[in-house]
Amino acid sequence: MLKLEKMTTEAADAAIASLAGWSRQDEKWIAGSYRFAGFPAAIAFVARIAEIAEAMNHHPFIAIDYKKVTLRLTTWHAGGLTELDMQSAERYNEAYRTSIAGNR
């Protein structure tokens, strides 16, 4: 069971350090960006993110800039970052690794 309690700054920093491509935006947000070969691949990735977010019942903010997708996470009910944000980011990284491997 994931804790939905706000993480301490130290715990959040340690968790973020293990997430490739993710960084803290401020005390309440983390963000990660992904690049793709083209717009269709970026949109397919966003569709996969939507599936993961629905299954986890935790939804990121999504920005699509042609071949770049940026995801931002926070847990509103906790007032900041939680283990759920970190697990979501790891799941999104795995989806990216899988999508890139499938495009080679």
Side-chain angles (χ1 to χ4, degrees):
M1 181 85 162
L2 289 175
K3 288 187 194 176
L4 293 182
E5 297 172 6
K6 183 178 174 182
M7 299 175 86
T8 65
T9 300
E10 295 77 19
D13 286 344
I16 294 164
S18 70
L19 293 169
W22 287 80
S23 61
R24 179 189 291 278
Q25 286 195 316
D26 59 29
E27 291 302 308
K28 293 185 179 184
W29 293 90
I30 58 172
S33 294
Y34 304 90
R35 292 199 177 275
F36 297 88
F39 185 70
I43 295 303
F45 177 72
V46 169
R48 180 66 186 123
I49 294 307
E51 292 171 2
I52 294 166
E54 279 293 299
M56 296 182 76
N57 194 29
H58 191 57
H59 304 86
F61 283 72
I62 302 172
I64 305 165
D65 298 303
Y66 183 44
K67 299 188 293 184
K68 179 182 174 186
V69 175
T70 301
L71 306 175
R72 293 177 50 227
L73 289 165
T74 192
T75 302
W76 293 107
H77 297 298
L81 298 170
T82 67
E83 289 180 14
L84 184 56
D85 298 304
M86 304 308 161
Q87 184 181 44
S88 295
E90 182 51 46
R91 295 275 312 270
Y92 301 152
N93 280 355
E94 179 59 32
Y96 179 70
R97 286 188 293 270
T98 302
S99 70
I100 294 302
N103 289 324
R104 289 183 180 171

